[in-house]
Amino acid sequence: MPSTDPGLSTGSEDTLDLHLPPEWGEWYAEEPRTPDQVVTPTTGAPLANLADGATADTPAGPFALVPVRLDRDLGRIAGWMNDPAVAAFWELAGAPEITVAHLRAQLDGDGRSLPCLGVLAGVPMSYWEIYRADLDPVARHYPARPQDTGLHLLIGGAGNRARGLGSTLLRATADLVLDHRPLCHRVIAEPDLRNTASLAAFLSAGFRYSDEIELPDKRAALMIRDRAHRHVL
């Protein structure tokens, strides 16, 4: 399972010694469900209305999600995957064929995961995976709800890190999902607990800490941005 980390190193200005109080989860108590509860998906394309790209205005400039094309984007994404700061969490370093296999699994799939470039002010500078969390194996590890939509991301290039961009773009992308997917009531993420910079970015972007979950490849924080609270957090 890929990481949900913005590519922020522990030396970035977004890093903090994060201690999440247990009452945070109590303030936003989830409806009681079991982690292995079956979620029945609705009909239609898994990520309808996002496949043509989505755009938003941000304090850093116009931001667009542009679906990945292998012929155009492979070199750029493979280069990012070989950055040690990214590889530590994504674990896709190596020959371009490793990145190709990762991307093709999504591009040739049923549309439940959409790989995108994040283009800020006309410059491709991040990689995103928007995925149907309720249709993903991660749904076995938390009380998923129909239409839950997840985010994986990395910020490519050290020059785009340690500038607070992670929080800005996380907020913009989560809001794009909520704007373009009216049946989705929650955007979720599962950053590695070791990456305190990533956790801080999610909190600053209006996500809340919901739980600590054990995934096959990591211990993660379940972060949630609720439609109902998007204008107050």
Side-chain angles (χ1 to χ4, degrees):
M1 181 180 298
S3 173
T4 312
D5 294 291
L8 300 172
S9 70
T10 55
S12 84
E13 65 185 16
D14 296 303
T15 302
L16 51 79
D17 185 12
L18 192 65
H19 300 284
L20 301 173
E23 59 265 26
W24 276 44
E26 296 171 4
W27 290 343
Y28 296 93
E30 305 289 350
E31 297 175 5
R33 297 169 186 252
T34 58
D36 58 351
Q37 181 175 357
V38 175
V39 175
T40 303
T42 59
T43 58
L47 287 170
N49 302 324
L50 280 175
D52 293 332
T55 61
D57 292 325
T58 79
F63 177 70
L65 291 174
V66 179
V68 164
R69 279 183 17 209
L70 277 177
D71 60 336
R72 179 191 63 198
D73 303 324
L74 174 59
R76 186 187 309 274
I77 297 171
W80 290 341
M81 292 299 182
N82 279 278
D83 182 325
V86 172
F89 293 101
W90 282 74
E91 300 180 347
L92 291 172
E97 289 75 18
I98 297 174
T99 301
V100 168
H102 180 76
L103 294 173
R104 280 212 176 279
Q106 299 171 80
L107 295 172
D108 296 342
D110 61 3
R112 68 182 63 190
S113 183
L114 179 67
C116 294
L117 284 182
V119 180
L120 182 64
V123 178
M125 48 73 65
S126 53
Y127 170 73
W128 299 76
E129 292 171 357
I130 317 297
Y131 70 98
R132 280 286 298 273
D134 59 329
L135 305 180
D136 187 86
V138 74
R140 304 187 189 116
H141 302 277
Y142 83 102
R145 298 180 186 175
Q147 301 291 339
D148 276 359
T149 304
L151 303 178
H152 295 142
L153 73 147
L154 67 87
I155 292 179
N160 286 317
R161 302 173 198 153
R163 295 171 50 195
L165 282 177
S167 296
T168 297
L169 301 185
L170 279 168
R171 182 181 293 272
T173 300
D175 285 349
L176 283 172
V177 170
L178 295 172
D179 288 341
H180 286 76
R181 306 201 64 245
L183 296 179
C184 170
H185 294 283
R186 307 191 306 177
V187 179
I188 73 108
E190 11 83 13
D192 194 309
L193 278 172
R194 297 171 299 165
N195 195 334
T196 56
S198 178
L199 299 179
F202 277 103
L203 291 172
S204 295
F207 285 72
R208 61 180 172 87
Y209 170 79
S210 176
D211 200 2
E212 186 174 312
I213 57 176
E214 189 72 51
L215 300 179
D217 58 348
K218 65 184 178 184
R219 189 75 176 164
L222 177 65
M223 310 297 292
I224 297 177
R225 182 155 171 75
D226 302 276
R227 178 183 294 279
H229 303 128
R230 62 181 292 198
H231 298 301
V232 296
L233 291 176

